[in-house]
Amino acid sequence: MSSKNEIIHSIREQSIEKFEMPALDNLCFLQKDKDNEKWFVDSCELVGGQVIYLNKESNSLHSIIKEIYPQVKNMASNLHIDGMETINPDEYDTPHQLDHIDLAIINGEFGVAENGAVWIEKQTRYRALYFIAENLIILLDRSSLVS
């Protein structure tokens, strides 16, 4: 077997979790009759995201993270979050050192209802954190949604 075939065979043997493609029969694009919040939630869910509401009175970010991501060991954020111990990603010398991060927590500047996109300013030393973490939580205020 050639080295190319060995590599391809090795890749195929990896046990990668497969996910179903989302159903596209209920597209929410260009539905201007919706309020921005509902439109944003529908758009996020359409592309596989999840919107969770935080109420200061009833739940904390820490309790929600423990419920949704109980297996998380390494959380990275340069935000101060009450009751949570996180790794400061800005203390690493190279972005490659972030490859062990299970969950990153960042702020979003504003959300776009039409497509569920969130504008993210550079908040950390390495933007790689947003992509290299296994899971990403983007904190976004409801009042910062635009059409």
Side-chain angles (χ1 to χ4, degrees), residues 3 11-12 14 26 29 39 42 51 54-55 65 68 70 73 88 92 105-106 119 134 138 140 142-144:
S3 59
I11 291 171
R12 287 186 178 143
Q14 297 297 319
N26 187 21
F29 299 111
W39 197 6
D42 289 348
V51 175
L54 286 177
N55 298 320
I65 289 172
I68 297 174
K73 294 183 178 110
N88 186 342
Y92 288 94
I105 306 166
I106 62 172
W119 182 267
E134 288 292 321
I138 302 173
L140 184 65
R142 291 178 191 174
S143 65
S144 63

Coordinates of all heavy atoms in Angstrom, one line a residue, residues 3 11-12 14 26 29 39 42 51 54-55 65 68 70 73 88 92 105-106 119 134 138 140 142-144:
S3 N 2.0 5.2 0.5 CA 1.9 6.1 1.7 C 0.6 6.9 1.6 O -0.1 7.2 2.6 CB 3.1 7.0 1.9 OG 3.3 7.8 0.7
I11 N -7.2 7.9 7.9 CA -8.2 8.9 8.1 C -9.6 8.3 8.1 O -10.5 8.6 9.0 CB -8.2 10.0 7.0 CG1 -6.9 10.8 7.1 CG2 -9.4 10.9 7.0 CD1 -6.6 11.7 6.0
R12 N -9.9 7.4 7.2 CA -11.2 6.7 7.2 C -11.5 5.9 8.4 O -12.7 5.7 8.8 CB -11.3 5.9 5.9 CG -11.5 6.7 4.7 CD -11.8 5.9 3.5 NE -12.0 6.7 2.3 CZ -11.6 6.5 1.1 NH1 -11.0 5.3 0.8 NH2 -11.8 7.3 0.1
Q14 N -10.7 6.7 11.5 CA -10.9 7.5 12.6 C -12.4 7.5 13.0 O -13.3 7.6 12.1 CB -10.5 8.9 12.4 CG -9.0 9.1 12.1 CD -8.2 8.6 13.3 OE1 -8.5 9.0 14.4 NE2 -7.1 7.9 13.1
N26 N -37.8 24.9 6.2 CA -38.5 26.0 6.9 C -37.5 27.2 6.9 O -37.2 27.7 8.0 CB -38.9 25.6 8.3 CG -39.8 26.7 8.9 OD1 -40.3 27.5 8.3 ND2 -39.8 26.6 10.2
F29 N -35.1 33.1 6.1 CA -34.6 34.3 5.6 C -35.6 35.2 4.9 O -36.6 34.7 4.4 CB -33.5 33.9 4.5 CG -32.4 33.0 5.0 CD1 -32.3 31.7 4.7 CD2 -31.5 33.6 5.9 CE1 -31.3 30.9 5.2 CE2 -30.5 32.8 6.4 CZ -30.4 31.5 6.1
W39 N -36.5 36.3 14.9 CA -35.8 36.1 13.7 C -34.4 35.6 13.9 O -33.9 34.7 13.3 CB -35.9 37.4 12.9 CG -35.6 37.3 11.4 CD1 -35.4 36.2 10.6 CD2 -35.4 38.4 10.5 NE1 -35.2 36.5 9.3 CE2 -35.2 37.9 9.2 CE3 -35.5 39.8 10.6 CZ2 -35.0 38.7 8.1 CZ3 -35.3 40.6 9.5 CH2 -35.1 40.0 8.3
D42 N -34.4 32.0 15.2 CA -34.7 31.1 14.2 C -33.5 30.9 13.2 O -33.2 29.8 12.8 CB -35.9 31.5 13.3 CG -37.2 31.4 14.1 OD1 -37.2 30.8 15.1 OD2 -38.2 32.0 13.6
V51 N -29.6 29.4 21.1 CA -29.8 30.6 21.9 C -30.3 30.3 23.2 O -31.4 29.6 23.3 CB -30.7 31.6 21.1 CG1 -30.9 32.9 22.0 CG2 -30.1 32.0 19.8
L54 N -30.3 34.4 29.4 CA -29.9 34.5 30.8 C -30.7 35.6 31.5 O -30.9 36.7 30.9 CB -28.4 34.9 30.8 CG -27.4 33.9 30.5 CD1 -26.0 34.6 30.5 CD2 -27.4 32.8 31.5
N55 N -31.2 35.3 32.6 CA -31.9 36.3 33.4 C -31.1 36.5 34.7 O -30.8 35.5 35.4 CB -33.3 35.9 33.8 CG -34.2 35.7 32.5 OD1 -34.1 36.5 31.6 ND2 -35.0 34.7 32.5
I65 N -23.7 26.7 32.1 CA -22.5 26.0 31.5 C -22.4 24.6 32.1 O -22.2 23.6 31.4 CB -21.2 26.8 31.7 CG1 -21.3 28.0 30.7 CG2 -20.0 26.0 31.4 CD1 -20.1 29.0 30.9
I68 N -25.2 22.5 30.5 CA -25.1 22.2 29.0 C -23.8 21.5 28.7 O -23.7 20.6 27.8 CB -25.3 23.5 28.2 CG1 -26.7 24.0 28.4 CG2 -25.0 23.2 26.7 CD1 -26.9 25.4 27.7
P70 N -21.4 19.7 30.9 CA -20.8 19.1 32.1 C -19.4 18.5 32.0 O -18.7 18.4 33.0 CB -21.9 18.0 32.5 CG -22.5 17.7 31.2 CD -22.5 18.9 30.4
K73 N -13.6 20.9 30.9 CA -12.5 21.0 31.9 C -11.8 22.3 31.7 O -11.4 22.9 32.7 CB -11.6 19.8 31.8 CG -12.2 18.5 32.1 CD -11.2 17.4 32.1 CE -11.8 16.1 32.5 NZ -12.0 15.1 31.4
N88 N -7.0 32.4 31.2 CA -6.9 33.6 30.4 C -6.1 33.3 29.1 O -4.9 33.0 29.1 CB -6.2 34.7 31.2 CG -6.2 36.0 30.4 OD1 -6.4 36.1 29.2 ND2 -5.9 37.1 31.2
Y92 N -1.0 33.0 26.8 CA -0.3 32.0 26.0 C 0.6 32.8 25.0 O 0.3 33.8 24.5 CB -1.2 31.1 25.3 CG -1.9 30.1 26.2 CD1 -3.2 30.4 26.7 CD2 -1.3 28.9 26.6 CE1 -3.8 29.5 27.6 CE2 -1.9 28.1 27.4 CZ -3.2 28.3 27.9 OH -3.8 27.5 28.8
I105 N -15.5 31.6 26.0 CA -16.6 32.5 26.3 C -16.1 33.9 25.9 O -15.1 34.4 26.4 CB -16.9 32.5 27.8 CG1 -17.2 31.1 28.2 CG2 -18.1 33.4 28.0 CD1 -17.3 30.9 29.7
I106 N -16.9 34.6 25.0 CA -16.5 35.9 24.5 C -17.8 36.8 24.4 O -18.9 36.3 24.5 CB -15.9 35.8 23.1 CG1 -16.8 35.2 22.0 CG2 -14.6 35.0 23.1 CD1 -16.3 35.2 20.6
W119 N -21.3 39.9 15.2 CA -20.1 40.7 15.0 C -19.3 40.5 16.3 O -19.7 40.8 17.4 CB -20.4 42.1 14.8 CG -19.2 42.9 14.5 CD1 -18.5 43.6 15.4 CD2 -18.6 43.1 13.2 NE1 -17.4 44.2 14.8 CE2 -17.5 43.9 13.4 CE3 -18.9 42.7 11.9 CZ2 -16.6 44.3 12.4 CZ3 -18.0 43.0 10.9 CH2 -16.9 43.8 11.1
E134 N -13.4 23.8 21.3 CA -14.4 22.8 20.9 C -15.8 23.4 20.9 O -16.7 23.0 20.1 CB -14.4 21.6 21.9 CG -13.2 20.7 21.8 CD -13.2 19.9 20.5 OE1 -14.3 19.5 20.1 OE2 -12.1 19.8 19.9
I138 N -21.1 32.9 22.9 CA -21.0 34.3 22.6 C -22.1 35.0 23.4 O -23.3 34.7 23.3 CB -21.2 34.6 21.1 CG1 -20.2 33.8 20.3 CG2 -21.1 36.1 20.8 CD1 -20.4 33.8 18.8
L140 N -24.4 38.0 24.2 CA -24.9 39.0 23.3 C -26.2 39.6 24.0 O -27.1 38.9 24.4 CB -25.3 38.4 22.0 CG -25.8 39.4 20.9 CD1 -24.7 40.4 20.5 CD2 -26.3 38.6 19.7
R142 N -29.7 41.4 24.1 CA -30.9 41.4 23.2 C -31.0 42.7 22.5 O -31.5 42.8 21.4 CB -32.2 41.1 24.0 CG -32.3 39.8 24.6 CD -33.6 39.6 25.3 NE -33.5 38.4 26.1 CZ -34.4 38.0 26.9 NH1 -35.5 38.8 27.2 NH2 -34.3 36.9 27.6
S143 N -30.7 43.8 23.2 CA -30.9 45.1 22.6 C -29.9 45.4 21.5 O -30.0 46.4 20.8 CB -30.7 46.2 23.7 OG -29.4 46.2 24.2
S144 N -28.9 44.5 21.3 CA -27.9 44.8 20.2 C -28.2 44.0 18.9 O -27.4 43.8 18.1 CB -26.5 44.4 20.7 OG -26.5 43.0 21.0

